[in-house]
Amino acid sequence: MAMPHRLTTLAKEPLIQILLIGALLFALYSALNPQAMQDDKRILVDQGQINSLEQQFARAWQRKPTEEELQGLIENFVIEEIYYREALALGIDKNDPVIRRRLRQKMEIYTDNLANALAPSDEQLTEYLEQHPDKFRTDDHYSFRQVYLSIDQPQPELRKRVAEAERALAEGESVSGDPSLLPTEFENVSGRMLDKTFGQGFALQLEGLGKKAWQGPIRSSMGIHFIRLEEHTPGGLPELASIRGKVEREWRFDRAQALDASFREGLLANYDITVVTDKNQ
């Protein structure tokens, strides 16, 4: 009578319950998937896989794994492989949007890798540069000084100050502008940046200005400006040698996009696709 009582006591232990549940699940799985239990039971961990595990560890921890750590990595890989195979056998991967999305990403990575493996010649990059000049054209750059007048004042007063500033600057006198967070001098600033600072179209107003003389008034979203243009460096299309890396990145990106589109069309051609909706049933 002592033995059944001891078994009953053991059965109430949480650890024993977990082991029993695990054994029952394994037995159930074996009964439902007899073929899976017989096939594909060999797992080979070769030196290439071990090297890969060592490299992954080194990237994460900035050092090589110890022998003990490496053994742990191998054991973890084996367990992961077993879980992977058993999950496939159970069909857990079916109709899972996360897995579907991840597998699609991996397929797309193949075309990216193929594009990255290509080595474009200078002739190919030059042709690409000429076909896509807007991707690589540089902005005009400007260096200038300014006198700023705020428009946050009565219009008669503003008109009077503008006229006084225009006369004084023309006669070579110094003029003090209104207080502002804007700098009084700009050095080699791109037109794009000036438009962000002063408002769209400001840089365009500088294009026609002569150099080394005060000119204005020029209006912006910030106020009124008198400008002394010191330097204007026109933008343009650089030589390939000076932007080869950028051109090559854009070239590879476009090739990857084209390869992906071609690959997708090829796959679609191999499938007979029917879309059934409530409307066409």
Side-chain angles (χ1 to χ4, degrees):
M1 296 299 288
M3 185 62 71
H5 175 70
R6 189 179 304 169
L7 290 175
T8 303
T9 302
L10 283 172
K12 293 181 179 178
E13 291 292 328
L15 177 59
I16 297 301
Q17 291 176 353
I18 291 173
L19 291 174
L20 287 173
I21 292 171
L24 285 172
L25 284 175
F26 184 77
L28 178 62
Y29 170 74
S30 300
L32 294 174
N33 301 274
Q35 192 63 36
M37 294 299 292
Q38 295 174 6
D39 299 339
D40 199 18
K41 294 303 180 188
R42 182 170 180 268
I43 295 176
L44 172 64
V45 185
D46 59 16
Q47 189 58 50
Q49 184 59 53
I50 294 173
N51 292 342
S52 177
L53 292 172
E54 286 183 307
Q55 291 167 2
Q56 291 175 27
F57 183 94
R59 281 197 295 272
W61 298 98
Q62 303 300 308
R63 64 174 176 82
K64 291 184 177 180
T66 64
E67 285 299 324
E68 184 179 355
E69 289 171 333
L70 181 58
Q71 187 58 39
L73 293 174
I74 294 172
E75 291 173 1
N76 185 62
F77 172 80
V78 170
I79 294 299
E80 185 177 85
E81 179 66 20
I82 291 173
Y83 270 69
Y84 169 71
R85 294 185 186 185
E86 300 302 336
L88 289 180
L90 285 170
I92 293 176
D93 57 316
K94 301 292 191 305
N95 299 321
D96 185 319
V98 175
I99 293 176
R100 288 166 62 91
R101 190 157 49 245
R102 179 59 181 152
L103 290 176
R104 175 180 175 172
Q105 289 173 344
K106 295 205 72 169
M107 291 290 286
E108 291 173 343
I109 287 174
Y110 285 125
T111 55
D112 290 344
N113 290 341
L114 183 58
N116 287 332
L118 299 174
S121 65
D122 283 354
E123 288 73 19
Q124 288 175 301
L125 294 181
T126 299
E127 182 181 1
Y128 184 82
L129 176 61
E130 293 172 350
Q131 291 174 346
H132 305 85
D134 292 342
K135 288 186 176 182
F136 308 103
R137 194 186 307 280
T138 59
D139 286 346
D140 286 15
H141 282 66
Y142 302 89
S143 298
F144 62 90
R145 295 159 57 192
Q146 69 148 342
V147 172
Y148 166 74
L149 296 178
S150 172
I151 55 175
D152 189 18
Q153 55 187 302
Q155 288 300 304
E157 178 66 19
L158 177 60
R159 285 195 292 271
K160 179 181 177 183
R161 293 192 62 202
V162 168
E164 289 177 350
E166 187 171 13
R167 179 200 57 75
L169 291 171
E171 295 177 1
E173 299 175 7
S174 63
V175 175
S176 297
D178 290 328
S180 168
L181 295 177
L182 291 172
T184 57
E185 296 187 17
F186 290 79
E187 184 71 27
N188 198 34
V189 181
S190 71
R192 190 173 308 177
M193 183 57 67
L194 290 176
D195 281 349
K196 286 183 179 178
T197 303
F198 291 90
Q200 192 65 34
F202 183 81
L204 189 62
Q205 298 186 76
L206 303 185
E207 280 192 7
L209 299 183
K211 293 193 289 187
K212 308 295 183 183
W214 286 102
Q215 298 176 72
I218 292 176
R219 199 173 186 94
S220 77
S221 61
M222 307 292 292
I224 292 176
H225 314 262
F226 287 91
I227 301 292
R228 179 183 167 92
L229 185 64
E230 303 295 342
E231 193 60 57
H232 172 205
T233 304
L237 194 61
E239 295 292 329
L240 174 63
S242 64
I243 55 169
R244 195 181 196 287
K246 182 178 180 182
V247 177
E248 188 168 333
R249 283 195 299 275
E250 292 292 332
W251 183 89
R252 288 187 190 284
F253 177 78
D254 280 4
R255 287 296 179 276
Q257 295 288 99
L259 284 170
D260 183 60
S262 176
F263 183 57
R264 189 181 311 167
E265 289 177 5
L267 291 176
L268 284 169
N270 288 329
Y271 284 82
D272 180 12
I273 301 169
T274 303
V275 178
V276 179
T277 70
D278 292 340
K279 294 181 180 178
N280 60 19
Q281 272 186 321

